[in-house]
Amino acid sequence: GLIVGSGAAWFGYTKIYMTPERRFWSAVNNSMSVPSVTRTLTQGGSGNQVIQDHRFYFAPQRVVENKVTFTNKNATTDTSVVTEGIVYPQEQFLRYSSFRTNQKDNGSAVSLDDILGLWATDAGSASDPQQSALSYTRELVSLVVLGNYSSDFRREVLQEMKNGQVYGTELGDTTEVELDGKKVIRYSVTVDLKKYTAILQKAFIEAGYGEFPPLNPDNYREGASVKAGITVDKKRNTIVRVEFGGRTENYSNYGLIKNVEKPEASFTIDELQTKVEQKIGSSL
């Protein structure tokens, strides 16, 4: 009897309560209640590829760790470059963590060994903190709201999204597929840009970032929209992929809590880039 009762309860929860639309809103809510999440962007193919990993920390710090891996491999070229960054709303740091190439500069091997691992900082951030804040916030612009907001704010935003049909009216029309060996649900949505940007601006202000002027809702006409795909992990009810305008964002590793220590910089980012250009020369 207990087994039958438990089975019936689970069936009722998954088939009746956890409808595709409810699952979608649960995932949107979860995206606004995480201390951190990783976003991965991949451009190009295996021979010429750029992979960008950004880990956004929303609590207890506001900071982004990023890693960019560039590879260029063909019949004559084999080059790999890895950079890492730590970005605060008012300051950013950059370093080269790995470099390898078979290319020569005037017949000599090219190496960055003496500057690998050394941090550089953006000297301009101190003189123009507003621009630094905008650069920081720009990375958070997507078609889902990410952060670690209070339950009251999440409830308010979700209700506003539902009432305004911000993601359209077809949330019950889904496709079940596999992504990285996991069962996921893909939603084909139509995002109302004017309504969504107003909500995103409200979220930025609530998080303490301030407004992001390039996304002024007044710049969008009524009814302006964009088609997108939002994919949800069935097991965890988390958003794992967002696709729009030829861009694919993959999300993973929700919830890591870590204290990111501010690096000690050896020079400015401009100085670092100058050193790299001098060492690489005409090889790349």
Side-chain angles (χ1 to χ4, degrees):
L2 178 61
I3 295 174
V4 172
S6 299
W10 174 249
F11 178 84
Y13 176 78
T14 56
K15 300 299 183 182
I16 300 175
Y17 178 78
M18 191 53 72
T19 64
E21 186 169 350
R22 288 180 183 272
R23 187 184 296 279
F24 178 85
W25 290 119
S26 175
V28 172
N29 179 66
N30 288 338
S31 75
M32 294 190 291
S33 60
V34 293
S36 71
V37 64
T38 296
R39 183 190 70 199
T40 302
L41 304 176
T42 303
Q43 297 172 291
S46 57
N48 193 340
Q49 188 177 70
V50 179
I51 301 175
Q52 302 177 57
D53 288 310
H54 288 73
R55 172 163 282 282
F56 300 99
Y57 293 92
F58 307 112
Q61 296 174 291
R62 289 187 299 170
V63 61
V64 180
E65 288 183 312
N66 64 60
K67 179 179 179 181
V68 179
T69 303
F70 166 78
T71 56
N72 183 12
K73 190 171 185 178
N74 55 43
T76 60
T77 302
D78 186 0
T79 297
S80 172
V81 183
V82 180
T83 63
E84 296 176 299
I86 297 177
V87 184
Y88 297 90
Q90 303 297 340
E91 191 174 10
Q92 60 178 313
F93 296 85
L94 171 71
R95 71 179 177 183
Y96 284 76
S97 55
S98 175
F99 177 83
R100 172 182 53 78
T101 184
N102 65 348
Q103 301 299 288
K104 306 288 185 181
D105 181 25
N106 294 324
S108 300
V110 178
S111 172
L112 297 181
D113 288 354
D114 59 342
I115 60 174
L116 289 180
L118 297 180
W119 287 102
T121 187
D122 181 10
S125 60
S127 59
D128 193 356
Q130 184 176 11
Q131 186 58 45
S132 295
L134 290 177
S135 298
Y136 181 90
T137 307
R138 182 178 293 110
E139 294 295 344
L140 293 168
V141 175
S142 183
L143 293 183
V144 293
V145 180
L146 300 167
N148 191 38
Y149 298 95
S150 69
S151 58
D152 288 342
F153 183 77
R154 298 199 308 272
R155 191 178 305 112
E156 176 186 339
V157 167
L158 286 173
Q159 196 60 54
E160 189 172 346
M161 286 180 172
K162 293 176 182 179
N163 292 344
Q165 296 182 335
V166 168
Y167 288 109
T169 59
E170 304 300 324
L171 295 180
D173 186 11
T174 63
T175 304
E176 186 170 318
V177 295
E178 279 200 8
L179 179 64
D180 298 330
K182 299 177 182 178
K183 290 184 178 180
V184 297
I185 300 177
R186 187 182 188 277
Y187 295 78
S188 295
V189 300
T190 302
V191 184
D192 186 309
L193 293 174
K194 190 176 185 67
K195 293 176 181 177
Y196 178 74
T197 52
I199 290 172
L200 190 58
Q201 291 282 29
K202 179 189 293 188
F204 286 159
I205 293 171
E206 177 73 13
Y209 304 127
E211 289 187 354
F212 186 67
L215 280 185
N216 186 343
D218 293 337
N219 294 336
Y220 298 90
R221 61 176 175 80
E222 292 289 343
S225 64
V226 62
K227 296 286 188 180
I230 295 179
T231 302
V232 173
D233 185 319
K234 283 188 67 175
K235 185 176 181 179
R236 296 178 174 81
N237 270 7
T238 54
I239 293 172
V240 292
R241 175 171 287 179
V242 178
E243 305 161 85
F244 62 98
R247 174 184 173 102
T248 299
E249 304 172 347
N250 291 305
Y251 291 92
S252 60
N253 298 322
Y254 281 80
L256 176 67
I257 298 177
K258 172 185 172 183
N259 181 44
V260 180
E261 295 186 4
K262 185 175 292 189
E264 184 175 335
S266 302
F267 21 66
T268 69
I269 290 178
D270 287 342
E271 290 171 341
L272 173 61
Q273 299 294 44
T274 298
K275 291 177 182 292
V276 170
E277 290 171 7
Q278 290 172 344
K279 292 177 179 296
I280 291 178
S282 59
S283 63
L284 299 180

